[in-house]
Amino acid sequence: MRQTGYALGLEREQDKEQIMVLWLATLEMGRGPDGWVTGFHKMSESMFGSPPGAIEADEYLSLLAVLVAPGRYNLGTDDQALQERKDRIRRLLAGECVPNGNSDVWLEGCNS
């Protein structure tokens, strides 16, 4: 109930773009070179030296891939699980697959 009230109050005070900025700034993004990182843009700067709009497509997919489980994937390493998740996201964006319903956060419907 408290979160619903907070969300409704936030929507009265902020527009959707401002809410998205707040959300992106508070995301847990996992371990970076200097420890745990909070914030999508901070992780982009920390790992790739540039904001999200200035990084390579594969780097951006890495950031997207960790959102579902930031403690599970290791950016900046040769993490096979991260690569597989990026491949599933790439296939989804290309229209080559569909998730197994709305609860398929792991994109099992996009396995090779």
Side-chain angles (χ1 to χ4, degrees):
M1 285 296 265
R2 187 177 1 190
Q3 287 181 340
T4 300
Y6 177 73
L8 292 173
L10 188 62
E11 286 186 349
R12 267 187 258 128
E13 301 293 325
Q14 309 287 326
D15 63 30
K16 297 293 183 192
E17 185 176 332
Q18 291 168 318
I19 293 170
M20 181 63 83
V21 168
L22 288 171
W23 179 71
L24 288 171
T26 59
L27 286 171
E28 296 292 330
M29 292 298 299
R31 186 161 301 284
D34 299 320
W36 196 261
V37 177
T38 300
F40 193 82
H41 286 77
K42 283 184 183 178
M43 182 60 99
S44 181
E45 292 279 354
S46 176
M47 293 303 298
F48 307 118
S50 296
I55 61 176
E56 300 293 323
D58 192 64
E59 294 168 338
Y60 193 82
L61 286 178
S62 294
L63 293 175
L64 292 179
V66 302
L67 291 178
V68 70
R72 180 175 180 171
Y73 300 110
N74 297 305
L75 284 168
T77 67
D78 187 22
D79 182 345
Q80 186 60 36
L82 177 62
Q83 184 60 48
E84 289 170 8
R85 177 132 175 98
K86 285 182 352 187
D87 290 343
R88 290 192 302 269
I89 292 170
R90 191 175 286 115
R91 292 185 66 231
L92 176 70
L93 294 173
E96 298 172 3
C97 66
V98 294
N100 290 329
N102 291 333
S103 63
D104 186 7
V105 297
W106 298 104
L107 300 176
E108 295 297 332
C110 293
N111 282 332
S112 300

